[in-house]
Amino acid sequence: MNAEREAAVLTSLASVIDPEIRRPVTELDMISGVSVDDAGAASVGLTLTIVGCPAATSIERDVREATERVPGITAVTVDVSVMTRAQRDALTEKLRKGKPKTMQFGPDSLTQIVAVTSGKGGVGKSTLTANLAVSLAQSGLRVGVIDADVFGFSIPGLLGLHGAKPTQVGEMILPPVAYDVKVISIGMFVEDNTAVSWRGPMLHRTIQQFLTDVFFGDLDVLLLDLPPGTGDVAISLGQLLPHSDVVVVTTPQSAAADVAERSGLVARQTGQRVIGVIENMAGLPQPDGSVLELFGSGGGADAAAKLSTPEEPVSVLASVPLSIALREGGDAGVPVVIAAPADPAAQAITALAATLRSHKRSVAGRKLGLSTR
């Protein structure tokens, strides 16, 4: 009877998901043992990845609750310990599936990689990236975001990750998760309001480390929030991920559209594919049904026309209206697609998420990393 109860406890513990790695604790070898005595008292050994694991409290709670759900269990004791270095090395080896440490999301990756760029700052690029990531995750996709805007990082705040720090397991970095989106940003490695003043080589190494050491797992979509303009980071990402797609963000103002064109042209020079333009701040809906075009009109269509070629036509993927709820959500760290899904901006971003998925590159002719053996 005890053996049956112990097996039932293990089965129930398989429902406990590590909030950082997003896999069952049983699969990650975090359950060191289960025993149940004749009176139904269960003892569970829980082995955390590191000392001070930020998810320790929630994991222990979930383990306790999963054990208590098993019929016949009368009491639960959770014995918490920490993995040895050998156990952590074994875990990282398992997560990498036995492959050597290398840059993720190479040319054979099935992950859709989308770089969100703009010609200038202040057009809402990061806000759109954060909301788009959450909307994609809401649709059931596995989503990650790299905040590559090293000098003006804002993704952590937009997603409510103020003060969040990644967990390091050996040489592997586990990114914080918000709204089911895995997020990494240089802002998670510096003190609040610290200015980042780096030259090109250091910026390149940082982006390369994000792509190599941060464990995202198997993602459906990876969004890259690029800094505005055509500087070192944009060039580095083009070199590291030449197979990625690019979305250009602009406002309806013609002057902004002219600048936006340049960021798309630089992406093309590194082999990336420009798949579309997002026109943000496209107008403010009025109570009488009219639209107040504070920033003019036509900038998105103008940028798309200038970026289009016979071989690679570019269209306006979405026109996102000015929205108080969108701004308030960014300030509060609660994306508008969560806080006010009926808001016109939220609806436009939700439609954009579906449109973006339709631009996923075909897998025809690509190696899938599978073997018949």
Side-chain angles (χ1 to χ4, degrees), residues 8-138:
V9 169
L10 277 172
T11 299
S12 184
L13 289 173
S15 66
V16 178
I17 306 298
D18 182 286
E20 294 176 307
I21 306 177
R22 295 293 168 134
R23 293 193 185 173
V25 293
T26 49
E27 181 183 320
L28 300 174
D29 300 324
M30 294 175 66
I31 302 301
S32 57
V34 173
S35 63
V36 180
D37 65 19
D38 293 338
S43 177
V44 179
L46 172 63
T47 308
L48 300 175
T49 53
I50 60 170
V51 176
C53 172
T57 301
S58 63
I59 294 175
E60 182 178 352
R61 179 199 64 222
D62 292 347
V63 165
R64 185 179 300 279
E65 291 177 353
T67 305
E68 290 173 343
R69 287 198 297 268
V70 176
I73 297 300
T74 58
V76 178
T77 300
V78 180
D79 298 315
V80 182
S81 60
V82 177
M83 287 184 177
T84 64
R85 181 171 181 174
Q87 288 173 319
R88 284 194 293 271
D89 289 344
L91 174 60
T92 57
E93 179 80 5
K94 175 181 284 190
L95 293 176
R96 290 196 179 108
K97 300 178 181 179
K99 300 177 182 177
K101 186 173 76 170
T102 185
M103 194 185 75
Q104 303 169 85
F105 314 113
D108 297 333
S109 171
L110 298 182
T111 300
Q112 182 180 13
I113 304 170
V114 181
V116 185
T117 185
S118 66
K120 60 191 288 292
V123 299
K125 168 182 56 62
S126 297
T127 298
L128 289 176
T129 302
N131 277 274
L132 180 58
V134 174
S135 182
L136 288 165
Q138 283 183 309

Side-chain angles (χ1 to χ4, degrees), residues 240-255:
L240 294 168
L241 299 170
H243 53 289
S244 60
D245 294 329
V246 172
V247 171
V248 179
V249 179
T250 185
T251 63
Q253 189 176 3
S254 59

Side-chain angles (χ1 to χ4, degrees), residues 178-221:
Y179 307 105
D180 289 326
V181 176
K182 295 182 178 181
V183 184
I184 197 69
S185 169
I186 195 63
M188 298 171 178
F189 297 89
V190 299
E191 297 301 321
D192 290 342
N193 297 320
T194 299
V196 178
S197 302
W198 293 345
R199 292 186 182 273
M202 196 164 182
L203 294 170
H204 183 88
R205 285 197 297 271
T206 298
I207 300 302
Q208 192 170 37
Q209 185 176 20
F210 282 172
L211 293 168
T212 303
D213 294 346
V214 178
F215 177 75
F216 286 101
D218 297 322
L219 295 182
D220 295 304
V221 184

